[in-house]
């Protein structure tokens, strides 16, 4: 049984339907990548899993429980944490306070603590009393990742980590992934950077217009298939 | 009355206005909600204390201690079940609902306690005074001011040094992302209003012990509270203390020239400050 699974997941913003029956599986210990063009519905999928958007209860299951209708605080408490698109640090909180608030709704002991996060991103320790929003984009992304890890999640959702960052910075951020995986977290990343996504993922899903158009292991799918799944067969 | 004497009386009076204002500042700072019933809730707390003192024969300070958790519960429920539903991009619904609440509370108190003027009896403490050098200072005004400073310190500690305070600030920044941290904004807002009414209860004790009150005086207290918060700059608790002191000093000096000028002098001071500092003296950097 998959650790996390969506089944015919649908989601709407008012009258506008953004997801049309999405099936995604995340096995324990794996990393899944979701790729797709702007507006494909990737963030909507993340918002649905994390409880920001409510769905039908049975459309999402986690560890054998149906969680589709739960609120975000309930989902976090179960062990699914999110690094939201655009980082979304709290401007009124310092770097360290941003990290500490990550365990507000789930304070379980585990590999991740202030110490281990400062060990992974030493620059954050130096800047710990700065307002979170005074940091560079890459450092802010480190805070957002650390904040999510503070709850020692079983599943980490990452929405467009590389958004707006320089390639060297993206490399730095992804250098943290082996450690995150070793801590026992299973990961779903949303990426526009296809190369990066294929590098870290065990399983890739491509989305277009609210549907999954392609899925498979990175080694099994070709560039042409991805291109077709990204832009439509006739592009 | 010497100038120094007037100044000190004014500063001490500012303590009372700070107590009126601190709860308002807390609630506004966290959820951008202006509670027009805040003054009436203070008066309601004063009647609750009065009831515990005269009905059960309790010491007024003990009565206030008992009233605090009761008022916290009332504030929590009011926010959770009523005011949370009015919060949104439109600022009008909370104003309308709290305005209505203000009228309901006033009429409820009139029904329950009549329009008679009351006072919380505090015995010999009422007229006790101590000498600070050449100036005699009332013990009650001094206690009022000390309580105000303590409340401001406590609110700062809660806001900036505790997990609850982090949750207050995070929720105020961004409700959706706060939810991703496991914070329940509805509950956080309810706790904030509960805390505001605990402070209102402290204000009520000193209000009711110092002067007569009746069910209709809430809105006037609300005005002083507003002025203190706005002079101080929205979102700064120390600013609220400074704002309260400015109103208190202005009123006392006004009254020392002509008793009829007391209230007017406070309002004039408010306008003068706003003329030079439209955002108040200590506006919060992040808004
Ligand atoms: N808050 C919203 N309200 C209305 N429509 C939205 C909202 N957020 C996203 N959408 C729409 O839903 C679709 C999917 O968006 P999104 O999930 O953000 O895509 P992606 O993350 O893949 O770029 C887009 O057409 C977008 O315009
Ligand atoms: Mg997106």
């Amino acid at each position: 049984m998959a650790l996390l699974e969506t089944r015919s997941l649908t989601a709407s913003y008012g009258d506008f339907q953004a997801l049309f029956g999405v099936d995604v599986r995340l096995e324990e210990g794996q990393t899944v990548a979701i790729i797709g063009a702007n507006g494909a519905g990737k963030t909507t999928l993340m918002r649905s899993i994390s409880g920001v958007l409510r769905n039908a209860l049975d459309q999402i299951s986690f560890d054998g429980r149906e969680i589709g209708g739960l609120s975000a605080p309930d989902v976090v408490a179960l062990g699914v944490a999110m690094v939201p698109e655009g980082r979304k640090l709290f401007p009124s909180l310092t770097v360290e306070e941003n990290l500490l608030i990550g365990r507000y709704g789930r304070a379980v002991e585990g590999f991740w603590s202030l110490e281990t996060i400062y060990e992974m991103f030493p620059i954050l320790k130096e800047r710990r009393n700065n307002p979170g929003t005074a940091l560079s984009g890459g450092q802010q992304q480190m805070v957002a990742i650390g904040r999510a890890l503070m709850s020692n999640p079983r599943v980490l959702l990452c929405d467009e980590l590389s958004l707006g960052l320089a390639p060297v910075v993206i490399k730095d951020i992804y250098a943290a992934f082996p450690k995150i995986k070793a801590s026992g977290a299973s990961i779903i990343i949303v990426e526009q950077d296809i190369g990066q996504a294929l590098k870290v993922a065990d399983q890739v899903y491509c989305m277009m217009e609210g549907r999954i158009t392609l899925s498979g292991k990175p080694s099994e799918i070709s560039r042409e298939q991805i291109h077709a799944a990204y832009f439509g067969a006739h592009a | 009355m010497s100038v120094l004497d007037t100044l000190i009386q004014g500063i001490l009076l500012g303590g009372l206005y700070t107590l009126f204002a601190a709860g308002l500042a807390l609630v506004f700072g966290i959820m951008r909600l202006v509670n027009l019933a805040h003054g009436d809730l203070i008066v309601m707390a004063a009647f609750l204390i009065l009831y515990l003192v005269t009905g059960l024969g309790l010491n007024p300070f003990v009565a206030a201690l008992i009233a605090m958790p009761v008022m916290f519960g009332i504030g929590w429920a009011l926010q959770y079940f009523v005011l949370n539903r009015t919060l949104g991009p439109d600022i009008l619904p909370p104003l309308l609902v709290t305005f209505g609440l203000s009228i309901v509370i006033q009429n409820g108190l009139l029904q329950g306690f009549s329009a008679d003027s009351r006072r919380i009896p505090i015995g010999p403490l009422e007229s006790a005074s101590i000498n600070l050098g050449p100036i005699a200072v009332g013990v009650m005004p001094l206690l009022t001011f000390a309580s105000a400073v303590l409340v401001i310190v406590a609110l700062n500690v809660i806001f900036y040094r505790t997990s609850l305070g982090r949750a207050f600030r995070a929720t105020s920044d961004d409700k959706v992302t706060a939810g991703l941290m496991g914070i329940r904004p509805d509950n956080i807002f309810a706790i904030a209003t509960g805390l505001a009414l605990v402070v209102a209860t402290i204000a009520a004790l000193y209000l009711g012990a110092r002067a007569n009150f009746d069910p209709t005086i809430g809105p006037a207290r609300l005005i002083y509270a507003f002025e203190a918060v706005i002079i101080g700059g929205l979102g700064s608790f120390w600013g609220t203390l400074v704002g309260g002191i400015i109103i208190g000093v202005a009123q006392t000096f006004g009254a020392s020239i002509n008793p009829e000028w007391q209230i007017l002098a406070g309002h004039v001071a408010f306008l003068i400050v706003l003329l030079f500092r439209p955002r108040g003296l200590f506006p919060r950097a992040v808004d």
Side-chain angles (χ1 to χ4, degrees), chain B:
Chain B
M1 223 166 29
S2 74
V3 171
L4 183 64
D5 192 31
T6 310
L7 181 67
I8 289 177
Q9 306 304 338
I11 291 173
L12 296 183
L13 178 62
L16 184 63
Y17 295 158
T18 302
L19 289 172
F20 291 162
L24 207 64
L26 177 73
V27 165
F28 186 85
I30 294 172
M31 59 191 111
R32 297 290 179 265
L33 172 87
V34 174
N35 183 354
L36 293 179
H38 188 72
D40 305 288
L41 287 161
I42 294 174
V43 175
M44 182 170 126
F47 275 106
L48 176 59
I49 295 171
L50 179 72
Y51 174 78
L52 291 172
V53 171
T54 55
L56 304 180
L58 294 175
N59 172 290
F61 291 90
V62 175
L65 273 181
I66 294 172
M68 279 181 207
V70 175
M71 291 303 292
F72 179 92
I74 290 172
W76 192 94
L78 173 65
Q79 184 68 43
Y80 197 86
F81 295 110
V82 182
L83 299 181
N84 276 342
R85 291 160 200 258
T86 69
L87 294 176
D90 187 354
I91 61 162
L92 198 56
L95 290 177
L96 291 177
V97 169
T98 56
F99 182 68
L101 182 67
S102 156
I103 293 168
V104 169
I105 292 172
Q106 284 181 44
N107 283 287
L109 291 175
L110 271 175
Q111 200 69 44
F113 295 93
S114 85
D116 295 348
S117 218
R118 305 295 186 86
R119 194 158 185 159
I120 297 171
I122 51 167
L125 211 53
E126 188 177 340
S127 52
S129 71
I130 50 173
N131 290 321
L132 295 178
I135 295 158
V137 187
V139 170
M140 276 312 273
L142 211 53
L143 273 179
T144 309
F145 188 79
S147 303
V149 173
L150 221 65
V151 161
I152 296 298
V153 169
L155 287 178
N156 268 301
V157 168
I158 292 174
F159 216 64
Y160 293 105
R161 296 273 173 271
T162 68
S163 164
L164 177 64
R166 283 196 291 273
F168 279 156
R169 284 177 286 145
T171 311
S172 164
D173 281 347
D174 179 350
K175 265 166 91 164
V176 173
T177 308
L180 289 173
M181 305 298 122
I183 295 167
R184 296 172 201 280
D186 282 353
N187 187 40
I188 287 294
F189 289 164
I191 292 172
T193 301
L195 274 180
L197 291 203
V198 169
V199 178
T201 308
I202 301 171
L205 171 67
Y206 294 115
L207 168 73
R210 145 185 215 112
N212 290 339
F213 62 94
D214 65 65
T216 64
I217 66 159
R221 308 313 110 173
L222 175 74
I223 301 274
Y224 301 152
F226 254 140
E227 291 182 341
V229 173
I230 290 171
I231 287 182
L234 296 168
S236 161
F237 295 122
W238 288 112
T240 299
L241 178 65
V242 173
I245 289 174
I246 288 175
I247 304 274
V249 168
Q251 285 195 0
T252 318
F253 273 102
S256 75
I257 298 167
N258 179 339
E260 286 176 9
W261 290 0
Q262 173 177 355
I263 308 295
L264 182 65
H267 297 325
V268 169
F270 167 71
L271 289 175
I272 290 175
V273 172
L274 279 200
L275 209 56
F276 292 99
R277 298 291 292 262
R279 300 191 61 217
L281 296 172
F282 307 98
R284 196 160 63 166
V286 195
D287 248 324

Side-chain angles (χ1 to χ4, degrees), chain A residues 11-14 16-19 34-47 53 85 159-160 190 192 207 209-210:
Chain A
S12 305
Y13 298 101
F16 177 81
Q17 189 169 355
L19 297 182
I34 317 257
I35 58 177
N38 254 334
K42 306 179 298 296
T43 295
T44 305
L45 173 60
M46 292 292 136
R47 286 198 192 122
L53 291 176
E85 185 178 53
D159 195 350
E160 302 228 24
V190 164
Q192 300 235 28
M207 282 185 82
E209 292 171 359

Side-chain angles (χ1 to χ4, degrees), chain A residues 63-83:
Chain A
D63 199 20
R65 277 186 65 163
E66 297 187 330
I67 62 160
L70 300 188
S71 70
D74 289 329
V75 174
V76 181
L78 291 174
V80 179
M82 173 137 100
V83 184

